[in-house]
Every structure is written in structure tokens, then in C-alpha cells.
Amino acid sequence: MAFENELLKYEYHDGINKLLKEVILTNFKYIQKNIDLQKKEISEQIVNLNNRLDRAREKYLQDRLDFDDYQIIKNESKQKIDNLEMALQNQKLSSKNTDIKVKLEQVLDILPNLSQLYIKGDNYTKSSISCSILAEKLEFQETAFRTPKLNSALAQIVLISNQLQSKKKRKNHS
């Protein structure tokens, strides 16, 4: 019962839901833009290194560059190209184009009704909810419970909700 009462802190109005969605999507777009810029920079560096390697090969074939210098340029360029291609591949893997809008809608539909979902849910649902909220194990002591840490994203949502509620109360009292 105490945990169910604690979940009531996560309930908030539809206006906050819209605000959260806008903030999260704006941040996601900013992050995605930075990732896209990094991919572009890496691709340009790969092209530049390939051009450097081509120029060195031409100079070597024209006897304007000795074999040892050509090998040094070739090895350095190949190593840098391999590292950059690996970095580019890692970025592609880490930024799989997931449909964040759909997932965000799902989360923001669930979050305001979390306590009701917990009360009506089966053991698996209850376990999933508590594991999503709590960063560490839940500790029970007689009739009370505690956890050392709360999930930081949910803690921020509660903080925003509380701050907006206090501003609303101040305006109503004025």
C-alpha cells in the first residue's frame, strides 16, 4: 500500500504530458542532429584520407616518392581509415532509427496512470513497474520500504511536476 501511495507522485496533468513530450523530442532532435554531423565529419575524413592515399600512390608511381615513405603514408592512412570506418559503423549501430515518437507516446500514456496500472496489474506488471522506477533493489523493513536511489529520469519528472504544481498554486492564491 505504501508503494502504491508513492506511485501517486508520478500522476500529473495532460499539460505536463505535452510539455514533457515537447522537451524530450526537442532534445532527441538535437542529439540526432549532432550524431548526423559526426557521421558527416567522419565520412569526410575517410574521403580525405583516401584522397591522400591516392595522391601518395600517384607520386610513388611517378618516382616522386620513395617506397619507404609511400609505405608509411599507406599504413598510417589505412589504419586511420579503418578506425574511422569502425567509429562510423558503431554510430550506425547505436543510432538505429527507432521510432521514438511511438515509444514516447506509449510511455507518456502509461506514466500518468502508473499507480492504477500497478494496482490492477499482475505480479509481472508490478515487478516491471518497480524495476523501471527504482535504480536499486527495494528494501522492505516491517511495514515500510525504502530504496537508496530513484531512477534519475523519473526523479526529474516528479521534480518538474512538483515545481509546476507549486507555481499553479501560487497563481491561484494570488
Side-chain angles (χ1 to χ4, degrees):
M1 189 66 170
F3 186 70
E4 293 167 7
N5 290 336
E6 188 71 20
L7 288 176
L8 291 173
K9 291 181 180 180
Y10 298 102
E11 292 183 2
Y12 51 84
H13 297 288
D14 193 44
I16 294 174
N17 223 11
K18 290 177 185 174
L19 181 64
L20 281 172
K21 181 178 178 183
E22 186 177 325
V23 167
I24 292 170
L25 285 176
T26 301
N27 285 337
F28 178 76
K29 287 177 187 174
Y30 177 75
I31 290 168
Q32 190 64 43
K33 182 179 174 183
N34 285 341
I35 289 171
D36 292 343
L37 284 173
Q38 287 176 349
K39 285 182 193 176
K40 183 179 177 184
E41 288 175 11
I42 290 172
S43 296
E44 288 173 358
Q45 288 176 0
I46 291 171
V47 167
N48 290 339
L49 286 167
N50 279 322
N51 290 340
R52 177 181 181 221
L53 189 55
D54 289 342
R55 286 190 306 272
R57 189 178 298 117
E58 286 297 317
K59 287 181 181 179
Y60 172 68
L61 292 174
Q62 295 172 357
D63 285 333
R64 293 181 7 206
L65 187 66
D66 70 13
F67 181 75
D68 292 335
D69 290 338
Y70 171 71
Q71 281 300 112
I72 291 171
I73 293 171
K74 179 182 172 185
N75 291 337
E76 285 177 357
S77 297
K78 290 259 185 204
Q79 183 180 9
K80 288 178 183 178
I81 289 170
D82 288 344
N83 290 340
L84 289 169
E85 285 177 345
M86 183 71 78
L88 189 61
Q89 187 64 30
N90 286 339
Q91 283 206 340
K92 287 179 182 176
L93 290 175
S94 67
S95 67
K96 289 260 186 197
N97 192 8
T98 57
D99 193 2
I100 190 168
K101 289 182 182 181
V102 171
K103 291 181 180 182
L104 184 60
E105 291 285 343
Q106 290 172 343
V107 169
L108 293 179
D109 286 344
I110 292 171
L111 199 55
N113 306 311
L114 201 56
S115 63
Q116 292 303 313
L117 184 64
Y118 184 85
I119 291 168
K120 294 177 183 175
D122 59 6
N123 286 338
Y124 178 78
T125 302
K126 290 179 180 185
S127 175
S128 295
I129 290 171
S130 62
C131 289
S132 297
I133 294 172
L134 306 171
E136 295 182 7
K137 291 182 180 179
L138 190 62
E139 298 174 8
F140 291 94
Q141 297 172 344
E142 295 178 21
T143 60
F145 71 94
R146 72 177 198 90
T147 181
K149 285 187 177 178
L150 186 65
N151 181 309
S152 61
L154 290 173
Q156 291 299 319
I157 290 171
V158 171
L159 180 65
I160 291 168
S161 180
N162 289 342
Q163 288 175 344
L164 290 174
Q165 288 294 350
S166 67
K167 286 182 181 183
K168 184 178 179 181
K169 287 178 185 176
R170 279 186 276 173
K171 285 183 181 179
N172 288 342
H173 291 292
S174 299

